[in-house]
Amino acid sequence: MAKDPYATLGVKRDASEDDIQKAYRKLARKYHPDMNPDDATAKTKFQEVQSAFEILSDAEKRKRFDQYGDAEPHFGPGGGPGGPGGYPGGAKWTYSTGPQTYPFDLNDVFGGGGGGEEGVGGFADLFKQFRRGGGGRRAAPAARGADLKHEMTVPFATAIRGGEVAVSVQRADGKIETITIKIPAGIDDGKRIRVRGQGEPGGGGAPAGDILVTIRTSPHPFFRRAGKRLDVRVPVTLAEAAQGAKIDVPTPWGTIALSIPPGTSSGKRLRIKGHGVRPKSGEPGDLFAEIQIVLPAELTEEERKQLAEISARHPQNPRAELRW
């Protein structure tokens, strides 16, 4: 009977992928042979952790274990070629590394099983490590290192224009490593960046995992984003709105001179083509400036009277279209 991978990793049977990865990273770091040079049992425990993770990180193997208590393929009577088990005579083959024994199927050896894109290698990769027909003790099975997941918030300007951010990673030996990550211009909130080869180290000479960084964008006090479009509210004086004017407006790509047509009302949107989000590929977005008229903080009684007289000479109902 194979060891229970859930018990080995110390997780419940309904554990999520994240729970399994966290448990694996913790135990792999604890029992890694490089971290326990004087502990003869560490290597065995590390192999058990690797084997358990291989089963639970592969959806098919996990399903088979949950059904049969064994991660190997099961066939009914007359199921696979060569009899039950899918190989000649239905015999079980094993690869021994001392106290730990791994069952494997010859179908896996000759072109079968290996994990998914993010999984660890299968027993086909394991078999390649020793000569055909050979036996005896061999190194632990090669297993790709686990991925590390991280979430970070970048400034609004960095998400729009691109830039670089630094991420600190604590390695198994306790050392802190700082990794620089490039943020592409126009990255969307929630987008994930993959930094290859910077995750947990692999076992048996296998490659290291990756770092998966989910990018969040902090809000801007004045600008808003919708896809490639940017919106900004631009305050203008009563005189600028009434008479028209040229005003300076900041954009991600520099300050521009925006023309305010005479008689512009609050809420009017002026389009500034090409000054929105500029992604690495595709057409740039536009910037929309929404005009907001700002009255002077203090008006005299005479000035308020003059404004009322102007309104009387130009009667209008600005709320005529307002509905519930």
Side-chain angles (χ1 to χ4, degrees):
M1 177 68 70
K3 284 184 176 290
D4 184 350
Y6 295 100
T8 300
L9 294 185
V11 298
K12 297 180 180 179
R13 298 187 74 85
D14 59 351
S16 66
E17 292 182 10
D18 283 344
D19 292 337
I20 292 170
Q21 284 220 9
K22 289 177 182 177
Y24 166 74
R25 288 199 298 268
K26 179 180 178 181
L27 294 175
R29 184 180 297 113
K30 179 179 180 180
Y31 294 120
H32 197 286
D34 292 344
M35 300 296 295
N36 302 273
D38 300 325
D39 186 352
T41 65
K43 180 178 179 181
T44 299
K45 293 177 180 178
F46 181 75
Q47 292 169 354
E48 292 174 353
V49 169
Q50 293 277 36
S51 179
F53 179 70
E54 179 178 344
I55 293 172
L56 298 187
S57 64
D58 185 302
E60 289 299 320
K61 291 182 180 180
R62 183 177 181 180
K63 180 179 180 181
R64 287 198 294 267
F65 184 88
D66 290 342
Q67 289 180 337
Y68 306 110
D70 190 335
E72 294 304 307
H74 285 254
F75 298 94
Y87 38 84
K92 284 288 183 181
W93 291 63
T94 61
Y95 168 56
S96 174
T97 59
Q100 182 71 19
T101 299
Y102 298 94
F104 62 91
D105 187 326
L106 286 182
N107 290 325
D108 291 334
V109 174
F110 297 106
E117 179 183 356
E118 303 300 336
V120 295
F123 290 115
D125 295 330
L126 168 65
F127 190 73
K128 294 175 184 176
Q129 297 183 24
F130 57 92
R131 297 177 302 167
R132 181 178 298 180
R137 298 175 183 272
R138 292 295 185 271
R144 178 183 179 277
D147 292 334
L148 299 177
K149 295 182 179 180
H150 184 67
E151 183 172 302
M152 67 183 312
T153 300
V154 300
F156 189 90
T158 301
I160 300 300
R161 294 184 302 203
E164 294 183 346
V165 295
V167 175
S168 295
V169 180
Q170 184 172 7
R171 297 303 184 184
D173 58 5
K175 293 182 178 179
I176 304 295
E177 182 179 352
T178 300
I179 299 172
T180 300
I181 299 177
K182 291 185 177 180
I183 305 297
I187 190 170
D188 292 317
D189 184 80
K191 182 73 174 180
R192 194 168 66 177
I193 296 176
R194 181 183 294 271
V195 185
R196 298 193 179 277
Q198 295 295 332
E200 295 283 4
D210 303 331
I211 296 180
L212 306 177
V213 183
T214 300
I215 301 298
R216 299 297 180 187
T217 305
S218 61
H220 193 282
F222 303 108
F223 286 80
R224 299 290 181 271
R225 177 181 178 180
K228 294 192 296 184
R229 167 177 169 165
L230 290 179
D231 292 273
V232 60
R233 291 179 177 177
V234 179
V236 299
T237 67
L238 182 59
E240 289 171 334
Q243 299 175 346
K246 277 195 178 245
I247 62 173
D248 290 338
V249 176
T251 80
W253 320 108
T255 300
I256 63 167
L258 178 64
S259 295
I260 307 297
T264 297
S265 298
S266 281
K268 175 73 174 179
R269 288 186 174 89
L270 302 177
R271 180 181 179 184
I272 308 168
K273 189 172 178 61
H275 279 72
V277 179
R278 297 177 181 176
K280 186 176 180 180
S281 60
E283 294 294 322
D286 298 331
L287 171 64
F288 286 81
E290 181 181 334
I291 301 302
Q292 285 190 318
I293 298 174
V294 179
L295 292 174
E298 295 182 0
L299 291 173
T300 65
E301 185 64 31
E302 180 62 26
E303 289 169 337
R304 286 195 291 270
K305 182 178 179 181
Q306 291 175 355
L307 289 175
E309 291 174 351
I310 293 174
S311 296
R313 291 197 295 269
H314 303 278
Q316 59 180 336
N317 183 2
R319 295 169 294 281
E321 302 298 325
L322 187 62
R323 296 286 188 277
W324 169 252

